[in-house]
Amino acid sequence: MGMSGLTALVTGGTAGIGRAVAVQLAREGAEVVVHGRDADRGASVVAEIETAGGSARFVRADLADSGDIKRLAQEAGDVDVLINNAGIYKFLPTSDMTEDLLDQHMSLNTKAPYLLVKALAPGMVQRGRGSIVNISTLAAAVPTKGTGMYSASKAALEQLTRIWAAEYAEHGVRVNTVAPGPTRTPGTDAMDAVTLKAVADTTAMRRIAEPEEVASAVTFLASHRASYITGTVLEVAGGRPAIG
Ligand code: NAP
């Protein structure tokens, strides 16, 4: 997809969907900045990319900390492709949701992508090129019990996608979102398997996705092959079942 000479920053690139995206972008020739908090996980992704002949480096930052986000943006340098993937999902009915968890969802899923776009998009505008892909969730569009704060934090990200797309289009910067359905990752491995299977059963395909299946949509939207696509939310979620 012609990504050589481009630098891509993948947040949460140390695990799951982000890891698969980092590997695919590197395979397309991008130099990948793998972001996360866990240095061992980071080293393992960098090693996988380098063994395959690609180029990558790890930058550690806690996206719950605005100072760390600014440092990440500085250490990443001139970023051409930004993948806002890192996120948390804790499912609780509203009456059981704590204020701290509510803040964590907004901070990691909405505020961190906002601050990264604010920090990195001006450089893209200056260079006249750039692509941003945000990772949302099917639950942002489909009401799903217990996912209130998670869904709301991602729905905000989807609306920001449309606004950023309009804001940056004339400067050669595209902004899109991928909304995955249930996907097998370290994050969902830690969840109750019955819940994940129940969510998978609400898709037309009735199965859980592998992270690579989500990553290939992200890689496409990030690449020049999607040159006329901006402001879209692409569901990668096994299809919606018909009623009846
Ligand atoms: P995951 O397996 O839980 O991995 C989370 C990633 O985010 C890790 O790389 C982790 O880095 C990073 N991260 C978490 N908290 C962080 C923090 N405070 N600061 C910096 N990095 C942090 O995640 P996943 O399941 O692949 O999900 C990735 C994205 O897809 C999320 O935005 C999620 O909402 C979305 N999504 C997932 C599914 C699914 O079924 N898996 C479905 C729909 C949408 P470290 O481990 O290095 O700390």
Side-chain angles (χ1 to χ4, degrees):
M1 298 196 197
M3 290 192 164
S4 63
L6 301 183
T7 298
L9 168 60
V10 183
T11 71
T14 52
I17 293 170
R19 180 179 182 130
V21 172
V23 167
Q24 287 191 16
L25 292 176
R27 200 181 296 145
E28 300 303 332
E31 183 193 331
V32 179
V33 179
V34 177
H35 155 268
R37 290 169 302 181
D38 186 317
D40 290 339
R41 277 177 160 185
S44 149
V45 185
V46 169
E48 181 181 343
I49 289 172
E50 288 179 345
T51 303
S55 170
R57 64 192 163 94
F58 171 68
V59 177
R60 193 200 170 280
D62 184 349
L63 296 187
D65 176 337
S66 316
D68 244 17
I69 294 174
K70 286 188 191 122
R71 182 182 52 75
L72 167 64
Q74 271 164 8
E75 289 185 20
D78 286 348
V79 169
D80 306 293
V81 172
L82 168 63
I83 313 294
N84 281 312
N85 163 78
I88 56 160
Y89 36 89
K90 301 275 184 233
F91 303 154
L92 285 171
T94 302
S95 50
D96 296 340
M97 179 54 80
T98 64
E99 192 174 339
D100 180 49
L101 259 183
L102 182 159
D103 287 341
Q104 283 183 44
H105 279 87
M106 291 311 293
S107 149
L108 198 58
N109 296 350
T110 314
K111 185 178 171 188
Y114 193 103
L115 291 179
L116 282 173
V117 169
K118 178 176 155 58
L120 296 172
M124 296 179 185
V125 167
Q126 218 167 35
R127 293 185 295 282
R129 68 170 192 215
S131 177
I132 298 168
V133 183
N134 301 311
I135 310 302
S136 177
T137 170
L138 185 64
V142 179
T144 310
K145 274 189 186 160
T147 71
M149 270 327 295
Y150 172 56
S151 300
S153 65
K154 294 290 195 177
L157 187 60
E158 292 188 3
Q159 183 64 339
L160 284 168
T161 298
R162 291 182 273 267
I163 291 164
W164 288 329
E167 199 173 336
Y168 294 115
E170 66 181 300
H171 303 290
V173 179
R174 296 180 301 101
V175 188
N176 291 291
T177 281
V178 164
T183 308
R184 202 177 313 278
T185 67
T188 54
D189 283 350
M191 276 169 58
D192 158 24
V194 177
T195 305
L196 193 64
K197 176 73 174 74
V199 178
D201 281 346
T202 67
T203 67
M205 290 185 184
R206 299 177 69 86
R207 70 171 174 85
I208 298 164
E210 296 303 324
E212 291 73 20
E213 296 181 280
V214 177
S216 48
V218 176
T219 302
F220 164 68
L221 285 174
S223 79
H224 184 68
R225 300 228 343 235
S227 56
Y228 199 52
I229 304 176
T230 197
T232 196
V233 176
L234 176 60
E235 272 181 22
V236 182
R240 303 265 184 108
I243 294 170

